[in-house]
Amino acid sequence: MASILKVDEVQDISGKKILQNTGSVLQVVQGTIKTDNFAVTSATFTNSGLEVSITPTSTSSKILVQFTGCIRVYNTSGNNAYAFWRIYRKIGSGSYAQLGSHQFTHRAYDYGNGAISDVPMHCQYLDAPSTTSAVSYKIYAYLGAGSQLEMNPSADDESYAFAMEVVG
């Protein structure tokens, strides 16, 4: 026999509310830990290999998806190098599609001596997928100008993917 417990509020022993109506984190999932080098040398959106999947417990939940790592853009021709990052999402057995119309830009300027720019990358997006099916996220890279874009350019660099379900 299944039991159902319905309450208006959950409190700790001191009377402090444990779960808020909105904003409480319900689950955190760590996806890919990427340690190998990923490079893009063309103007095509390319899957970086960072991915995370989460299954929301409610259709009203929001998902905070995050991609973090170290990136480098090489600029050996012209005065400007830049790359774009886009998050793609798949719900259930569907296909991956760009999430929203956003993209993140990384830019390096060359003042005449062939700039290399290493910077931390942190891309995040608060999604409202309205489903209780598995939701998967990937981040794709695109070289807009310059000679090469890299994720994890040094041997000891790592990149990560995380997703958090938040009460909607």
Side-chain angles (χ1 to χ4, degrees), residues 116-132:
I116 296 175
S117 176
D118 283 0
V119 295
M121 172 193 73
H122 187 75
C123 302
Q124 61 183 20
Y125 188 84
L126 185 61
D127 188 22
S130 300
T131 186
T132 55

Side-chain angles (χ1 to χ4, degrees), residues 3-152:
S3 298
I4 297 174
L5 176 63
K6 294 183 180 185
V7 297
D8 293 325
E9 186 172 290
V10 177
Q11 298 179 356
D12 67 13
I13 198 163
S14 69
K16 181 180 175 189
K17 225 176 172 181
I18 294 175
L19 288 176
Q20 303 298 321
N21 295 337
T22 60
S24 293
V25 175
L26 298 176
Q27 62 174 314
V28 178
V29 176
Q30 181 172 351
T32 308
I33 300 174
K34 187 170 178 56
T35 57
D36 60 318
N37 178 273
F38 163 75
V40 175
T41 57
S42 64
T44 303
F45 276 99
T46 305
N47 180 6
S48 70
L50 277 180
E51 178 178 4
V52 63
S53 295
I54 190 168
T55 303
T57 59
S58 170
T59 58
S60 63
S61 292
K62 294 184 179 358
I63 305 298
L64 178 62
V65 61
Q66 301 178 83
F67 297 94
T68 302
C70 182
I71 58 175
R72 177 184 292 167
V73 175
Y74 293 87
N75 186 16
T76 55
S77 60
N79 62 359
N80 184 6
Y82 57 90
F84 303 116
W85 297 88
R86 288 184 180 170
I87 299 173
Y88 282 67
R89 175 185 73 186
K90 176 179 84 165
I91 296 176
S93 60
S95 300
Y96 278 96
Q98 182 181 351
L99 182 58
S101 59
H102 71 284
Q103 64 187 16
F104 305 90
T105 304
H106 171 74
R107 191 174 291 273
Y109 292 96
D110 183 0
Y111 297 100
N113 58 357
I116 296 175
S117 176
D118 283 0
V119 295
M121 172 193 73
H122 187 75
C123 302
Q124 61 183 20
Y125 188 84
L126 185 61
D127 188 22
S130 300
T131 186
T132 55
S133 296
V135 183
S136 298
Y137 300 91
K138 292 182 178 183
I139 192 159
Y140 283 65
Y142 177 99
L143 181 63
S147 57
Q148 184 168 295
L149 161 68
E150 288 184 317
M151 177 186 290
N152 299 340

